[in-house]
Amino acid sequence: TPSVSATPSPTESPEKLQVALTFEDGPDIYTERLLNALEAQNAKATFFVVGDAASDFPDTVNRILDSGNELGNHTYSHETLTSLDVDDIPYQINDLNQVIEQLTGSTTSLLRPPHGSVNETVQENCDDPIILWSLDSDDNDTHDIGKIVQKVLENVEDGDIIRMHDTYETSVAAAEILITELQNQGFELVTVSELAESKNVTLESGKIYKSF
């Protein structure tokens, strides 16, 4: 009988290094500059927006979506959800969604609670996956561009969700550097939803995610 040669198994390609840059509290006057930087580098990010800011910058909200970035829910008025009456939690989430729907025709599908404050009550009253972070750039505390960049580059790992804000010029300046440097280190910059999908994670309502 002729011997059957074994088909060589294809070598698996190494897993792509990916992280999700996330920006909260905006949009703001610096967000367009940030979107320019992302676009120029073919990078994507997730923006957790609040109600007043979204209403103040409707064109920016639409550009976030139109440019392939992702909109997330950071509540209508940035209330600490764990301190609210249970009935008020859905209002904070839904009122922001109404604003987004009026501006863009779509709603958000991810929640980042203000200050990352979450408990079982918040989880039970939230229809969306809850997105926290595994790497905080500390850009809210230090407005030193070099320190923000250093904090991220020294600690970043595959699958990280990185927390930043697009409400400070220093943060956006740091992000401009980080986009290039992270790509130089081999990281692809994707949205939170893209990162979850890439890592074969199915996002579930009310569940907390810090990285993938």
Side-chain angles (χ1 to χ4, degrees), residues 63-84:
R63 187 182 168 195
I64 288 170
L65 280 184
D66 293 344
S67 54
N69 294 288
E70 184 170 38
L71 278 175
N73 193 315
H74 201 44
T75 73
Y76 183 76
S77 54
H78 205 265
E79 299 277 348
T80 304
L81 295 180
T82 51
S83 66
L84 296 180

Side-chain angles (χ1 to χ4, degrees), residues 43-148:
K44 300 286 184 280
T46 299
F47 292 81
F48 290 97
V49 301
V50 291
D52 289 348
S55 299
D56 288 345
F57 296 93
D59 292 344
T60 304
V61 171
N62 277 287
R63 187 182 168 195
I64 288 170
L65 280 184
D66 293 344
S67 54
N69 294 288
E70 184 170 38
L71 278 175
N73 193 315
H74 201 44
T75 73
Y76 183 76
S77 54
H78 205 265
E79 299 277 348
T80 304
L81 295 180
T82 51
S83 66
L84 296 180
D85 289 340
V86 64
D87 294 341
D88 292 333
I89 294 170
Y91 285 117
Q92 277 293 322
I93 299 165
N94 297 335
D95 287 359
L96 185 276
N97 268 332
Q98 285 181 0
V99 171
I100 298 300
E101 189 165 20
Q102 287 165 2
L103 295 177
T104 69
S106 61
T107 58
T108 63
S109 58
L110 303 174
L111 172 71
R112 171 166 292 168
H115 319 294
S117 297
V118 62
N119 58 17
E120 281 185 18
T121 307
V122 173
Q123 289 180 267
E124 288 163 5
N125 288 274
C126 168
D127 293 332
D128 297 330
I130 297 169
I131 308 299
L132 300 184
W133 55 86
S134 49
L135 177 50
D136 193 338
S137 69
D138 293 334
D139 66 330
N140 214 9
D141 302 318
T142 175
H143 299 286
D144 180 316
I145 296 166
K147 284 183 179 173
I148 298 165

Side-chain angles (χ1 to χ4, degrees), residues 184-197:
N184 287 345
Q185 289 188 17
F187 288 99
E188 184 184 6
L189 304 180
V190 296
T191 66
V192 168
S193 293
E194 287 170 340
L195 185 61
E197 186 178 357

Side-chain angles (χ1 to χ4, degrees), residues 19-50:
V19 291
L21 283 176
T22 65
F23 297 89
E24 57 186 73
D25 294 355
D28 209 306
I29 55 173
Y30 310 111
T31 309
E32 291 282 342
R33 176 177 158 187
L34 176 56
L35 288 167
N36 290 342
L38 290 163
E39 211 167 273
Q41 298 292 115
N42 196 25
K44 300 286 184 280
T46 299
F47 292 81
F48 290 97
V49 301
V50 291

